[in-house]
């Protein structure tokens, strides 16, 4: 493998030579020269790393040349086939120097005749290209130069038929004039040109491989994905040649193994890469070795070792005055403390408060690190939401981050910003805007965002769909996710957690308790699960215990969950939800006053933080307890004032529960009235039961559907409507057999 020269670069040199000889008319100069420069400067897409004949033909075949009746592609083929021997290849590189002038000779070119060749400046892009190509060819050993010639002959071979159309005398051995009179089956021809084991070794250069590896590293770091299988195969074939392997290849292997969850492989490749780097650059990149090691250990659950490595990173980065690394390390340590508060030593935990964010924002602004500054604003907004503070302040931080993302064109930060907006709208009870934000992100910013953010948005969208009673569509939506996006272990675990949660919730509602227990075991075995998923898992476990009548264990588990959340200073929304469920459990097991105090406290906290779905859940819990205390008027006024907002939340389960409590309230009011007023209350109760049954049916809550039909049957029996009651009993029996069609 050559360090720089390849057959495709020889073609580019031929195009530059034609340009220097003034073979391009004015109309063709810009497109062809732009094509050449595009492949000399580092390309932005992977398709441009190895130039193919098809790309060359597409760029030059439609461009007219200065020769009448000939295109630039025709002149290029003529020039390429004029290199008809190994000696001609030497002559080609030797003559290239005639097209490059020293700066002091540049002024002499003004007296040149129009028919003379143009002179390229030594420091121009084309001039530097010619000088480097000539130098690299001069430095080649004889064996490497012969291999380059053989590769060039193979690369040029498919153009023979096109070349024959303009040159009738061209034959199968025209690639080497020394073979004139010989056939391709001659033993000498076979020995020289067709007996090379590494037939593709010189189709790419070490420079091309390094650029390809840099491109892969950039994509993997920005998008959080793994190298596709076909790209891995091509990289390994390139590395199979007997040349030194670029050290960056070990870093690509490290990232790939890391995303795949291969801890030994990632650890080994990380050490290999930074061992080579330290030999070449001394200790300049030592802090980045520690930084990668810390993040790697954190992802695989080695939290104490990760914290120690990150503290050493901060120390080394401060010594080397590497502010970019230092600020990133401080930002990572802050987020690590928020995610794993019990794993950080006290000396670190005491520093990871509000002042840390202010320091990060100031340093990021001073250093012009706009992406880090945008993330700091998002972290501030997230901290405000987690602590239940001012919603306008959170919106202000979001707007600051959005302004940076738009004005500085930070497209890969839009995912984190929009996902946080989605959470904010969900907490305010406006689920329509929450889902709209997910769809906007997936439509407009998906291509430039990390794959982790894309999968998070899709999972959030699917979860909102399941809350609306469309669990089947949500599962189909997640099943249709591109499998290449799930090749990273962390992303796959996040996706699997949401799929499992939707299935678990559906199994609990459908009274499939065995399947629910199995899903609980599988989800609990996930090594790393997001806090939101972990809370949903805990709440579903509590619901399962309540539905099976195991109230003592449910109370003990709810107390343990609440204590853990308080100890870790967790999200206030999570704490309120656990408090509401705990109050409902107290009400269900005969301790309504205890549940009333907890639910009122939860409602107060949720209202201060503007957690509207939690406020409505707390009001529902209070109303249910008031029904058991026979305070029907107060319970009705409480639920009646929030029902429009409850329906706007589009939480089908919460709306169904509220309608069921309203039905109980109407029945309780009917017990205190007489005559027409009583019948009116009972008919209102039937109406609320029908609505509750409709909502429970949407989420396939079998147990609650039976309860609604059973209550409806008793009311109809009291009203004396026998025919309607018989139809309701028939519905109940069909529901028991699982054959009810709605």
């Amino acid at each position: 493998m050559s360090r720089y020269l390849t057959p495709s670069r020889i073609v580019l040199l031929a195009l530059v030579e034609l340009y220097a000889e003034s073979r391009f008319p004015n109309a063709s100069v810009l497109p062809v020269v732009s094509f050449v420069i595009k492949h000399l400067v580092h390309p932005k897409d992977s398709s441009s790393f190895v130039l193919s004949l098809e790309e060359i033909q597409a760029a030059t075949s439609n461009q007219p040349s200065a020769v009448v009746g000939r295109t630039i592609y025709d002149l290029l083929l003529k020039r390429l086939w004029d290199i008809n021997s190994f000696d001609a290849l030497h002559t080609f590189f030797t003559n290239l120097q005639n097209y490059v002038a020293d700066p002091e000779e540049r002024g002499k070119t003004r007296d040149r005749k129009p028919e003379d060749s143009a002179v390229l400046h030594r420091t121009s892009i084309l001039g530097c290209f010619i000088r480097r190509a000539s130098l690299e060819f001069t430095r080649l050993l004889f064996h490497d130069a012969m291999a380059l010639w053989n590769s060039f002959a193979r690369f040029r071979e498919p153009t023979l038929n096109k070349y024959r159309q303009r040159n009738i005398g061209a034959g199968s051995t025209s690639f080497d004039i020394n073979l004139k009179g010989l056939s391709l089956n001659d033993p000498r021809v076979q020995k020289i040109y067709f007996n090379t084991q590494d037939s593709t070794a010189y189709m790419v250069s070490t420079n091309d491989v390094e650029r390809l590896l840099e491109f892969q590293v950039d994509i993997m770091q920005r998008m959080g994905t793994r190298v596709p299988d076909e790209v891995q195969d091509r990289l390994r074939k390139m590395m199979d040649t007997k040349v030194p392997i670029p050290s960056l290849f070990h870093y690509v292997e490290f990232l790939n193994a890391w995303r795949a969850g291969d801890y030994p492989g990632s650890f080994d490749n990380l050490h290999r890469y930074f061992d080579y780097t330290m030999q070449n650059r001394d200790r300049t990149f030592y802090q980045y070795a520690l930084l990668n090691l810390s993040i790697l250990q954190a992802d695989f659950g080695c939290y104490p070792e990760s914290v120690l490595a990150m503290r050493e990173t901060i120390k080394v980065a401060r010594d080397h005055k590497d502010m970019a690394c230092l600020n990133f390390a401080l930002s990572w340590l802050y987020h690590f403390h928020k995610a794993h508060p019990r794993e950080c030593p006290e000396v670190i935990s005491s520093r990871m408060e509000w002042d840390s964010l202010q320091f990060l924002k100031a340093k990021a602004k001073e250093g012009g690190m706009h992406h880090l500054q945008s993330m700091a604003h998002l972290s501030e907004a997230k901290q405000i939401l987690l602590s239940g503070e001012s919603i306008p302040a959170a919106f202000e931080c979001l707007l600051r981050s959005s302004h940076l993302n738009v004005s500085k064109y930070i497209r890969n930060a839009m995912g984190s910003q929009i996902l946080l907006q989605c959470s904010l709208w969900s907490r305010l009870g406006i689920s329509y805007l929450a889902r709209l934000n997910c769809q906007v992100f997936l439509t407009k910013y998906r291509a430039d965002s990390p794959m982790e953010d894309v999968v998070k948005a899709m999972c959030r969208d699917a979860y909102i769909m399941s809350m609306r009673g469309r669990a089947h569509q949500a599962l189909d939506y997640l099943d249709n996710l591109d499998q290449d996006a799930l090749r990273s272990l962390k992303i796959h675990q996040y996706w699997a957690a949401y799929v499992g949660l939707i299935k678990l919730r559906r199994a609990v509602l459908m009274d499939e308790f065995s399947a629910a227990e199995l899903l609980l075991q599988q989800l609990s075995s996930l090594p790393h699960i997001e806090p939101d998923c972990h809370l949903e898992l805990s709440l579903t476990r509590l619901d399962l215990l309540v539905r099976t009548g195991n109230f003592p264990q449910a109370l003990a588990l709810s107390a343990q969950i609440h204590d853990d959340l308080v100890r870790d200073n967790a999200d206030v929304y999570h704490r309120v939800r656990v408090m509401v469920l705990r109050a409902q459990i107290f009400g269900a097991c005969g301790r309504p006053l205890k549940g009333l105090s907890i639910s009122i406290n939860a409602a107060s906290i949720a209202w201060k933080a503007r957690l509207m779905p939690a406020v409505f859940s707390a009001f529902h819990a209070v109303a249910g307890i008031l029904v058991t205390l026979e305070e029907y008027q107060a319970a009705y006024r409480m639920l009646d004032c929030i029902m429009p907002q409850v329906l706007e939340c589009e939480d089908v389960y919460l709306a169904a529960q509220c309608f069921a409590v309203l039905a109980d309230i109407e029945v309780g009011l009917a017990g205190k009235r007489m005559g027409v007023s009583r019948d009116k209350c009972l008919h209102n109760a039937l109406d609320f039961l029908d609505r509750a049954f409709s909502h429970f049916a949407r989420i396939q809550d079998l147990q609650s559907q039976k309860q609604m039909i059973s209550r409806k049957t008793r009311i109809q029996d009291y009203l004396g409507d026998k025919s309607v009651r018989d139809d309701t009993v028939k519905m109940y029996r069909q529901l028991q057999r699982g054959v009810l069609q709605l």
Side-chain angles (χ1 to χ4, degrees):
M1 181 183 293
S2 170
R3 292 200 314 173
Y4 183 73
L5 289 176
T6 59
S8 59
R9 283 200 171 91
I10 295 177
V11 176
L12 294 179
L13 286 169
L15 279 174
V16 173
E17 189 178 33
L18 290 173
Y19 165 69
E21 293 177 357
S22 302
R23 298 298 184 93
F24 296 174
N26 293 335
S28 301
V29 170
L30 182 60
V32 178
V33 174
S34 299
F35 172 78
V36 174
I37 294 177
K38 171 188 174 183
H39 291 86
L40 297 182
V41 183
H42 284 194
K44 298 297 183 183
D45 57 335
S46 59
S47 63
S48 301
F49 281 104
V50 180
L51 186 59
S52 64
L53 283 172
E54 290 76 13
E55 294 178 88
I56 297 169
Q57 182 175 1
T60 57
S61 59
N62 295 325
Q63 298 295 334
S65 68
V67 180
V68 179
R70 297 289 189 271
T71 64
I72 293 179
Y73 185 64
D74 295 331
L75 299 185
L76 177 63
L77 289 185
K78 180 68 168 59
R79 185 58 53 90
L80 293 179
W81 284 94
D82 283 346
I83 308 175
N84 53 11
S85 66
F86 185 47
D87 179 68
L89 183 65
H90 276 269
T91 304
F92 173 76
F93 278 96
T94 302
N95 293 336
L96 287 175
Q97 297 296 331
N98 298 330
Y99 303 106
V100 180
D102 292 324
E104 58 272 12
E105 297 178 355
R106 185 71 176 174
K108 300 178 182 180
T109 60
R110 299 175 182 173
D111 300 329
R112 299 173 65 91
K113 297 179 180 179
E115 62 270 15
D116 293 339
S117 300
V119 178
L120 304 174
H121 199 285
R122 290 175 58 85
T123 58
S124 66
I125 296 179
L126 299 181
C128 291
F129 175 47
I130 289 179
R131 289 167 53 208
R132 182 175 182 183
S134 301
L135 178 61
E136 292 290 345
F137 186 78
T138 304
R139 297 173 62 179
L140 286 178
L141 300 176
F142 178 77
H143 172 76
D144 294 330
M146 279 298 300
L148 177 63
W149 162 245
N150 289 336
S151 297
F152 173 69
R154 294 189 188 91
F155 184 82
R156 182 185 56 184
E157 186 63 28
T159 64
L160 178 60
N161 292 331
K162 180 68 175 177
Y163 177 65
R164 281 177 175 173
Q165 295 177 6
R166 300 288 186 180
N167 301 271
I168 303 176
S172 58
T173 59
S174 295
F175 60 89
D176 192 341
I177 195 173
N178 298 308
L179 303 181
K180 189 175 182 180
L182 300 178
S183 66
L184 291 178
N185 296 326
D186 190 279
R188 290 168 290 183
V189 178
Q190 292 289 329
K191 181 66 176 178
I192 296 174
Y193 286 101
F194 301 101
N195 196 31
T196 305
Q197 295 180 355
D198 298 331
S199 59
T200 60
Y202 282 78
M203 292 296 181
V204 292
S205 64
T206 305
N207 181 268
D208 293 330
V209 174
E210 289 179 350
R211 287 164 60 185
L212 179 59
L213 293 174
E214 290 173 0
F215 174 80
Q216 295 297 335
V217 169
D218 178 64
I219 292 296
M220 294 172 73
Q221 288 181 333
R222 284 193 299 107
M223 312 303 271
T225 57
R226 292 176 58 197
V227 179
D229 292 335
E230 58 273 14
V231 178
Q232 289 189 52
D233 294 338
R234 292 185 64 183
L235 285 175
R236 289 193 178 94
K237 289 179 180 178
M238 293 177 184
M239 297 302 129
D240 285 341
T241 56
K242 298 178 181 179
V243 295
I245 298 177
S247 61
L248 197 60
F249 177 73
H250 298 301
Y251 194 73
V252 172
E253 290 292 305
F254 152 68
L255 291 175
N256 198 41
W258 176 20
R259 305 294 184 194
D262 181 8
Y263 179 75
S266 57
F267 195 79
D268 181 51
N269 282 288
L270 179 66
H271 274 278
R272 287 186 181 183
Y273 171 69
F274 281 105
D275 285 345
Y276 286 117
T277 303
M278 302 274 279
Q279 291 176 6
N280 298 330
R281 304 182 183 179
D282 298 328
R283 294 174 61 86
T284 306
F285 282 177
Y286 181 51
Q287 62 268 28
Y288 293 100
L290 293 169
L291 181 65
N292 281 272
L293 180 62
S294 176
I295 298 174
L296 175 65
Q297 289 173 332
D299 273 3
F300 287 99
C302 305
Y303 299 128
E305 294 84 354
S306 176
V307 172
L308 290 175
M310 190 58 70
R311 294 176 68 179
E312 184 68 17
T313 302
I314 295 172
K315 179 181 178 181
V316 176
R318 186 183 295 115
D319 292 341
H320 290 168
K321 295 181 174 54
D322 190 344
M323 296 307 299
C325 181
L326 177 61
N327 290 339
F328 182 85
L330 291 173
S331 175
W332 184 92
L333 196 59
Y334 168 80
H335 288 93
F336 179 83
H337 165 65
K338 302 302 291 185
H340 310 282
R342 282 178 283 178
E343 302 297 337
C344 280
E346 292 298 327
V347 66
I348 295 179
S349 299
S350 61
R351 301 174 184 172
M352 295 293 106
E353 301 300 334
W354 189 264
D355 293 340
S356 299
L357 277 178
Q358 305 306 318
F359 174 80
L360 283 174
K361 287 195 299 182
K363 291 299 181 182
K365 186 176 182 179
E366 289 176 5
M369 293 174 281
H370 304 298
H371 186 277
L372 182 60
Q373 186 180 357
S374 174
M375 290 296 104
H377 286 303
L378 289 181
S379 298
E380 185 177 356
K382 187 174 182 181
Q383 185 172 348
I384 291 172
L385 293 179
L386 294 181
S387 57
E389 298 179 15
S390 172
I391 295 296
F395 269 113
E396 181 182 356
C397 294
L398 275 171
L399 287 175
R400 291 179 184 274
S401 175
S402 178
H403 173 72
L404 281 172
N405 295 338
V406 174
S407 60
K408 305 301 180 181
Y409 200 69
I410 312 174
R411 294 182 65 88
N412 60 347
M414 293 298 297
S416 301
Q417 174 205 323
I418 295 179
L419 286 174
L420 190 56
Q421 289 177 198
C422 175
S423 299
L424 183 54
W425 291 122
S426 296
R427 287 166 182 259
L428 293 175
I430 312 176
S431 63
Y432 173 78
L433 283 180
R435 191 177 182 208
L436 182 62
N437 273 269
C438 291
Q439 293 175 343
V440 167
F441 167 63
L442 294 173
T443 303
K444 298 296 183 181
Y445 301 101
R446 179 172 186 167
D448 299 314
S449 299
M451 192 55 63
E452 184 175 358
D453 289 345
V454 173
V455 175
K456 282 184 178 180
M458 296 186 69
C459 291
R460 190 76 57 85
D461 193 10
Y463 191 74
I464 295 174
M465 290 171 60
S466 68
M467 289 177 58
R468 295 179 176 180
R470 293 185 286 171
H472 288 289
Q473 295 181 19
L475 290 174
D476 292 340
Y477 179 63
L478 291 179
D479 288 339
N480 293 330
L481 182 63
D482 186 7
Q483 293 302 311
D484 288 338
L486 303 177
R487 298 180 71 246
S488 175
L489 178 63
K490 185 177 180 180
I491 297 176
H492 184 274
Q493 288 178 344
Y494 188 90
W495 171 83
Y498 266 92
V499 172
L501 281 173
I502 295 175
K503 291 182 178 180
L504 172 63
R505 187 64 185 163
R506 187 177 62 175
V508 170
L509 294 175
M510 296 178 67
D511 289 348
E512 298 175 355
F513 297 140
S514 298
E517 290 288 349
L518 179 60
L519 286 169
L520 274 172
Q521 294 178 5
Q522 293 175 346
L523 291 172
S524 300
S525 63
L526 290 176
H528 307 291
I529 188 170
E530 295 292 323
D532 292 342
C533 296
H534 188 270
L535 177 71
E536 294 295 336
L537 183 63
S538 301
L539 295 180
T540 307
R541 189 190 299 273
L542 286 174
D543 191 14
L544 180 60
L545 291 174
V546 171
R547 287 173 180 269
T548 54
N550 194 347
F551 294 107
Q553 188 175 351
L555 284 173
L557 181 59
S558 63
Q560 179 185 351
I561 296 172
H562 184 263
D563 292 342
D564 291 342
L565 292 175
V566 172
R567 179 190 59 202
D568 296 339
N569 196 22
D571 188 354
V572 63
Y573 186 43
H574 295 176
R575 284 180 278 168
V576 170
R577 291 187 63 188
V578 174
M579 290 173 66
V580 171
L581 187 54
R582 184 172 172 80
Q584 292 174 345
I585 296 173
F586 274 116
C589 63
R591 298 177 61 185
L593 294 179
K594 179 70 173 177
L596 182 63
S597 62
I598 295 176
S599 56
I600 291 176
N601 188 23
S604 176
I605 296 173
W607 175 250
K608 290 179 182 178
R610 295 298 187 269
L611 305 174
M612 303 313 296
V615 172
F616 303 147
S617 296
F619 274 38
H620 160 260
V622 172
I625 294 173
L626 290 177
V627 169
T628 62
L629 298 176
E630 298 184 0
E631 297 289 340
Y632 302 118
Q633 289 290 350
Y636 184 84
R637 288 195 299 269
M638 181 174 290
L639 282 185
D640 185 61
C641 68
I642 66 169
M643 279 310 297
Q645 290 87 351
V646 169
L647 295 176
E648 286 180 2
C649 284
E650 298 184 286
D651 187 343
V652 177
Y653 187 65
L654 177 60
Q657 287 181 316
C658 291
F659 280 126
V661 174
L662 284 171
D664 292 340
I665 292 172
E666 291 290 349
V667 173
L669 291 174
K672 296 184 178 182
R673 297 176 182 177
M674 301 296 293
V676 178
S677 180
R678 172 181 292 182
D679 291 346
K680 181 179 179 181
C681 289
L682 292 178
H683 281 94
N684 289 339
L686 288 175
D687 183 40
F688 285 131
L689 286 173
D690 287 336
R691 295 188 183 185
F693 178 82
S694 174
H695 282 74
F696 282 126
R698 287 175 60 184
I699 58 176
Q700 298 179 317
D701 188 345
L702 185 61
Q703 188 178 108
S704 298
Q705 289 181 71
K706 292 179 181 178
Q707 292 176 358
M708 297 303 104
I709 293 181
S710 177
R711 296 177 187 179
K712 188 176 178 180
T713 303
R714 282 180 284 176
I715 295 175
Q716 290 170 345
D717 186 48
Y718 177 83
L719 292 174
D721 196 344
K722 304 297 183 180
S723 60
V724 178
R725 184 203 63 180
D726 293 340
D727 292 339
T728 307
V729 171
K730 184 178 179 181
M731 287 179 58
Y732 185 87
R733 291 174 178 172
Q734 290 178 345
L735 190 63
Q736 280 185 318
R737 296 193 301 267
V739 296
L740 179 62
Q741 300 293 333
L742 299 177

